Amino acid sequence: MTREEMRAEGNISTRIQFVLLGFSDLPSLQGLLFGVFSTIYIIIFIGNSLIIIITRLDAALQTPMYFFLANFSSLEICYVSVTLPRILVNLWTQDRSISMLGCATQMCFFLILGATECFLLAVMAYDRYAAICNPLHYPLIMNHKTCIQLAVGAWLSGIPVQIGQTCQIFSLHFCNSNQINHFFCDIPPILKLACGDTFVHEIAVYVVAMLFVAVPFMLILASYSKIISTILRLPTARGRAKAFSTCSSQLLVVLLFFGSATITYLRPKSNHSAGTDKLLSLFYTIVTPMFNPMIYSLRNKDVIAALKRLLLKKIV
């Protein structure tokens, strides 16, 4: 080893703490941002909790579609709880430090829940495919046991891979700076702090993203191509409108989530910028989960009717 290499090796330090810069470049807006994010968190929690309660209590919603919707709402609460509370603490206390273990834990849960969301959206698309394209066999295809297996598979399938990816990322050495130019511990900003060649790790990120983002997305597209083809062959305009209404909500959620996530994880490293990464991350980690309950409830007559029945019971 040459003297220069020894000096470089000596300058590499494994940081025990990082600093999440977050929105520190907007010092005059810290109070406003805290209020906005607090409101968003409350909306997400209440909206998704209402969907869970309604689908559990209303007998008319005891179907596979609403079983998966309740799972999806539970997932959204968990998903935003990985990032939003930390954002709120940083804005309130202005203490943006986070330990390496805390950062790794946040990243690991975020990746696991992100993978779960991708698979769960694919499962929900398959459920709609079975309901619309095979209506006579639907009760047999999507029986209670199958629904449980699909839901459990969606929740658990990403755990081993994402734990491995997190360990791989945090096995790197970090030097020069411990400042993460982001509002949570995500892969792209963490890799920017790593010393040396990160090419192998970047390839691993692409492979995992293809597995957990691209593959479910292709399955969803395949399901909806079959669904749309079937709907267009329905004899009545009313039947086509009803079928489209049950699918359009989920398709909108899919496009919002997968669109922003794909741009974040599958675009070249040279195109990454801190501002763009923050904006895209805000979209799929906070904005989309906030709109999901509204999309599913306001565009779903069954959910609105169930909510009215629940409110009438409470009033009576």
Side-chain angles (χ1 to χ4, degrees), residues 77-112:
I77 292 173
C78 297
Y79 188 60
V80 297
S81 295
V82 172
T83 55
L84 256 178
R86 183 79 208 186
I87 295 172
L88 293 174
V89 169
N90 291 352
L91 288 170
W92 182 259
T93 65
Q94 296 298 303
D95 179 11
R96 298 182 175 88
S97 62
I98 183 171
S99 67
M100 179 175 283
L101 178 60
C103 191
T105 301
Q106 185 185 53
M107 178 189 286
C108 187
F109 276 103
F110 176 77
L111 294 175
I112 289 171

Side-chain angles (χ1 to χ4, degrees), residues 248-274:
S248 57
S249 299
Q250 194 205 352
L251 196 54
L252 182 58
V253 171
V254 166
L255 292 175
L256 289 171
F257 178 77
F258 278 97
S260 53
T262 299
I263 296 171
T264 299
Y265 289 102
L266 294 179
R267 77 185 194 274
K269 184 181 177 182
S270 58
N271 293 340
H272 280 264
S273 69

